[in-house]
Amino acid sequence: VTGEWGLRLVLASLAITPARRWLGWRAVAPLRRTLGLAAFAYAALHLATWALLDHALDGAAIAEDLTERPWVMVGMASFVLLAALAVTSTRGSIRRLGAARWTALHRAVYAAAALAVVHHFWLLKADLRPAIVHAGILAVLLGARLAWRLRAARRSS
């Protein structure tokens, strides 16, 4: 459940820009950081639960799970990206990195979300509907961004 909530919160944070653009909901913009940090917190809780309950914090068992199960590696890759984004989510990080580099780094949220969706698909054994819904939402959000970029490219040429 913690992993699903982490994924939902990542998707909610990605939905902020479309909500602003399509619905004119300017007031939701400040929620993006909060939602992103909450997503990271749930992902960290998901990781901690896996490490503690499934492996009793046994480093060798954790390492073995990481190397033998591709869905665990994909989930870990998503977590590492979310951790980098969480650590650099402060105003001080924006100043230190510069706005352009900070923005480029924070685009990694798309990869983190995609990896989380793949991780979710691999974990499910029977009912794939939740993962299909999450993948569909991500596809719509990424499709919207792609459409905006293509439209901007056409305008500039």
Side-chain angles (χ1 to χ4, degrees), residues 9-64:
L9 289 165
V10 166
L11 294 173
S13 72
L14 289 175
I16 295 291
T17 299
R20 281 184 23 235
R21 286 185 151 192
W22 292 338
L23 305 173
W25 293 358
R26 307 261 183 258
V28 297
L31 295 176
R32 184 182 353 234
R33 183 184 313 186
T34 303
L35 289 170
L37 290 172
F40 171 71
Y42 272 93
L45 187 56
H46 180 62
L47 174 65
T49 301
W50 166 77
L52 182 64
L53 297 182
D54 289 356
H55 299 295
L57 298 177
D58 178 358
I62 290 169
E64 181 180 341

Side-chain angles (χ1 to χ4, degrees), residues 12-157:
S13 72
L14 289 175
I16 295 291
T17 299
R20 281 184 23 235
R21 286 185 151 192
W22 292 338
L23 305 173
W25 293 358
R26 307 261 183 258
V28 297
L31 295 176
R32 184 182 353 234
R33 183 184 313 186
T34 303
L35 289 170
L37 290 172
F40 171 71
Y42 272 93
L45 187 56
H46 180 62
L47 174 65
T49 301
W50 166 77
L52 182 64
L53 297 182
D54 289 356
H55 299 295
L57 298 177
D58 178 358
I62 290 169
E64 181 180 341
D65 215 11
L66 277 167
T67 57
E68 291 186 4
R69 294 191 169 95
W71 63 89
V72 175
M73 184 59 77
V74 168
M76 188 63 72
S78 179
F79 176 77
V80 168
L81 289 173
L82 289 176
L85 300 178
V87 167
T88 60
S89 68
T90 64
R91 287 187 181 114
S93 291
I94 296 170
R95 277 192 307 274
R96 283 188 295 280
L97 291 170
R101 285 192 305 176
W102 184 88
T103 299
L105 171 64
H106 278 254
R107 284 193 181 116
V109 69
Y110 306 122
L115 289 167
V117 166
V118 170
H119 175 70
H120 193 198
F121 265 108
W122 259 335
L123 283 175
L124 295 175
K125 303 295 183 233
D127 185 8
L128 297 178
R129 286 178 293 184
I132 291 168
V133 168
H134 291 138
I137 292 168
L138 180 60
V140 167
L141 294 171
L142 293 175
R145 282 166 171 77
L146 180 61
W148 294 328
R149 282 186 176 237
L150 291 174
R151 191 173 310 135
R154 275 190 230 128
R155 286 183 190 150
S156 66
S157 49

